[in-house]
Amino acid sequence: MTSDALLNITKEYGSPVYVYDAHKIEAQYNRLTTAFNSVKKLKINYAAKALSNISILKFVNSLGAGLDTVSIQEVKLGLHAGFKAKDIIYTPNGVSLEEIENVTKLGTQINIDNLSILEQFGNKHPNIPVCIRINPHVMAGGNTNISVGHIDSKFGISIHQIPHILRIVENTGMHINGIHMHTGSDILDIDVFLYASEILFETAKNFKDLEFIDFGSGFKVPYKEGDIETNIEEFGEKLTARFKTFCKNYGRDLTLAFEPGKFLVSEAGNFLTKVNVVKQTTSTVFAQIDSGFNHLIRPMLYGSQHEIENISNPKGRERFYSVVGYICETDTFANNRRISEINEGDILAFKNAGAYCYSMSSNYNSRYRPAEVLWYNNKAHLIRKRECFDDLLTNQIDVSLEQKKAIANT
Ligand SMILES: *Cc1c(COP(=O)(O)O)cnc(C)c1O
């Protein structure tokens, strides 16, 4: 998308506003399917939690993707957006047996990630097929916030507990149709991922009626200059070869599934904000924007670096700025970053704002959540209105205690 198109969107819809480029989502989807095009049965399930606007879900559905969900509400959003129940997989963590049962009533594939629920579910519903989430204990990436495969992670059933799983399956007579892992958010090193895959293949051999193996996600996209990006093409080639060997030994062609979130939507997103104040202190120049971690929490939560471009003055002389927000809390987006000269009223574009940005936003400081716009065929489509004052009051029950007291006293 051009800067002019982005600037026009802020003129039409105001700021702050999230903008998603549908063509970029499509290009990423095609890149992934191309990298695995020699796999007979491939299933790409988009991880809804990355960006769950129903227009995005519909668009991703139109590309041929399925949906990866982590809550019954996401399952319902997926169904609402037109996904077939059988094209949705539900991979929760730490939810109640009741929620899992309710999801199976919707016809969706479930994925269980602990022994306790596996046993209870197997006893009650031995005929409903279940996928099992395995924890191969492989570290992907270095940040413990996003590496969920290591030894003390809360996700998945440890590979050291396979004998226990097998005992439950045998005792309950339940039907395991899939094996799953999701090791974390960064496949920095393809070999580490392939190593984890070998563990998954080994595990899969224990189950005779599998229909699919789900490798989760972890595809890395570059956030800042010099960032490593997963080499999808090389990864596709190497994993495909191993998968084919596995299927040959297994005696059947299984479906190879992935659940990318960030890979599909991160780079498609721009978050556009306006500079309210340029504040020079004795040591720093702050650019204070009309947003905060209530709208984009990743920098404060994960230390993520989103590239920031001054699209109002792209050719200006570069200077150092700390970009901060307007909420009453430390909400730093960037520390002493080189950005072309900023004037009050300029529009700053945050890159990589598609994944885990809007979906993690809140009303903190009683601010409205931003509008969302989808860019498609050179046109902007509003896909979510900016919130308004009434939205802040929705669900609140106005209990006027003084009045109650007065009534009680009469
Ligand atoms: C969040 C999540 C994903 C998506 O991860 P990305 O890093 O955004 O690709 C996939 N699978 C599961 C089970 C998840 O919880």
Side-chain angles (χ1 to χ4, degrees):
M1 287 190 70
T2 63
S3 296
D4 277 349
L6 294 173
L7 285 169
N8 282 336
I9 287 170
T10 61
K11 277 187 201 121
E12 186 163 359
Y13 300 105
S15 76
V17 58
Y18 277 99
V19 183
Y20 312 113
D21 181 352
H23 307 283
K24 181 66 186 174
I25 298 175
E26 185 168 8
Q28 290 293 95
Y29 182 82
N30 290 340
R31 224 184 120 194
L32 195 53
T33 50
T34 304
F36 287 90
N37 63 3
S38 72
V39 173
K40 281 209 186 88
K41 302 180 192 172
L42 179 71
K43 189 84 199 168
I44 307 295
N45 296 316
Y46 166 59
K49 73 179 187 292
L51 174 61
S52 44
N53 185 296
I54 54 167
S55 297
I56 298 290
L57 299 185
K58 282 186 177 178
F59 181 70
V60 172
N61 185 11
S62 77
L63 299 176
L67 199 66
D68 174 64
T69 59
V70 294
S71 68
I72 189 167
Q73 290 79 11
E74 282 188 353
V75 174
K76 288 180 177 173
L77 275 179
L79 292 171
H80 180 83
F83 285 92
K84 297 199 179 83
K86 67 167 181 55
D87 290 331
I88 302 177
I89 179 163
Y90 168 70
T91 303
N93 173 254
V95 306
S96 66
L97 176 62
E98 190 188 0
E99 179 168 319
I100 293 176
E101 290 177 319
N102 286 334
V103 168
T104 62
K105 284 179 199 150
L106 299 172
T108 292
Q109 170 74 49
I110 58 165
N111 190 357
I112 294 183
D113 93 328
N114 66 84
L115 292 170
S116 169
I117 297 283
L118 184 71
E119 184 160 30
Q120 294 174 64
F121 190 89
N123 275 322
K124 285 178 79 176
H125 314 282
N127 296 322
I128 299 180
V130 171
C131 173
I132 303 179
R133 179 171 185 175
I134 298 296
N135 185 339
H137 303 308
V138 173
M139 285 279 269
N143 186 329
T144 49
N145 285 330
I146 49 177
S147 301
V148 293
H150 55 97
I151 199 85
D152 51 3
S153 149
K154 69 166 186 166
F155 297 98
I157 303 175
S158 167
I159 38 156
H160 305 303
Q161 294 173 311
I162 302 283
H164 206 136
I165 298 177
L166 294 175
R167 208 153 51 234
I168 291 173
V169 170
E170 191 177 309
N171 290 344
T172 59
M174 69 191 301
H175 173 44
I176 304 301
N177 68 340
I179 295 288
H180 168 277
M181 72 170 184
H182 171 64
T183 53
S185 259
D186 291 351
I187 304 174
L188 284 166
D189 187 336
I190 291 175
D191 290 330
V192 172
F193 193 93
L194 292 173
Y195 174 72
S197 317
E198 292 300 336
I199 294 174
L200 208 59
F201 289 139
E202 274 308 305
T203 307
K205 285 182 191 162
N206 290 297
F207 302 91
K208 297 293 160 240
D209 304 318
L210 294 182
E211 290 157 29
F212 65 94
I213 299 186
D214 189 330
F215 293 90
S217 181
F219 302 102
K220 192 171 165 54
V221 295
Y223 270 70
K224 53 183 192 297
E225 222 174 286
D227 264 4
I228 303 172
E229 177 180 16
T230 307
N231 184 334
I232 296 293
E233 290 70 27
E234 180 191 347
F235 178 58
E237 210 169 291
K238 289 186 168 171
L239 185 62
T240 298
R242 282 169 173 75
F243 187 73
K244 284 183 173 167
T245 306
F246 170 82
C247 289
K248 204 162 147 236
N249 295 332
Y250 193 76
R252 216 147 26 86
D253 275 322
L254 302 186
T255 296
L256 192 169
F258 284 115
E259 309 162 344
K262 194 181 277 180
F263 181 79
L264 292 182
V265 298
S266 174
E267 294 164 287
N270 269 283
F271 182 46
L272 307 177
T273 64
K274 193 171 80 191
V275 177
N276 283 335
V277 183
V278 176
K279 179 173 185 173
Q280 172 98 50
T281 68
T282 45
S283 61
T284 306
V285 186
F286 289 103
Q288 285 199 276
I289 59 173
D290 59 354
S291 183
F293 72 56
N294 49 330
H295 298 153
L296 175 56
I297 202 173
R298 300 186 75 260
M300 292 303 291
L301 188 61
Y302 299 125
S304 314
Q305 286 202 28
H306 288 259
E307 231 182 84
I308 301 172
E309 200 185 320
N310 182 1
I311 57 172
S312 297
N313 185 22
K315 299 217 168 70
R317 194 170 64 94
E318 287 192 342
R319 299 185 55 187
F320 285 93
Y321 295 94
S322 286
V323 179
V324 297
Y326 67 172
I327 60 171
C328 293
E329 193 89 44
T330 301
D331 55 354
T332 308
F333 293 107
N335 261 318
N336 285 317
R337 200 75 79 72
R338 281 178 88 102
I339 300 173
S340 39
E341 181 155 11
I342 296 176
N343 295 294
E344 291 172 358
D346 282 356
I347 301 295
L348 302 188
F350 287 69
K351 303 294 165 182
N352 282 80
Y356 308 106
C357 292
Y358 187 94
S359 63
M360 285 187 160
S361 66
S362 77
N363 284 125
Y364 187 49
N365 275 210
S366 295
R367 294 290 182 182
Y368 306 143
R369 266 177 282 225
E372 291 181 292
V373 167
L374 183 60
W375 180 256
Y376 183 66
N377 274 351
N378 289 316
K379 264 186 78 175
H381 304 266
L382 185 66
I383 57 173
R384 192 191 304 257
K385 292 190 281 191
R386 184 179 313 288
E387 286 179 331
C388 62
F389 189 67
D390 281 346
D391 293 318
L392 298 181
L393 295 175
T394 305
N395 295 331
Q396 297 204 51
I397 296 167
D398 188 352
V399 177
S400 178
L401 294 176
E402 281 308 310
Q403 204 180 351
K404 291 221 155 129
K405 203 165 75 187
I407 293 167
N409 288 342
T410 57

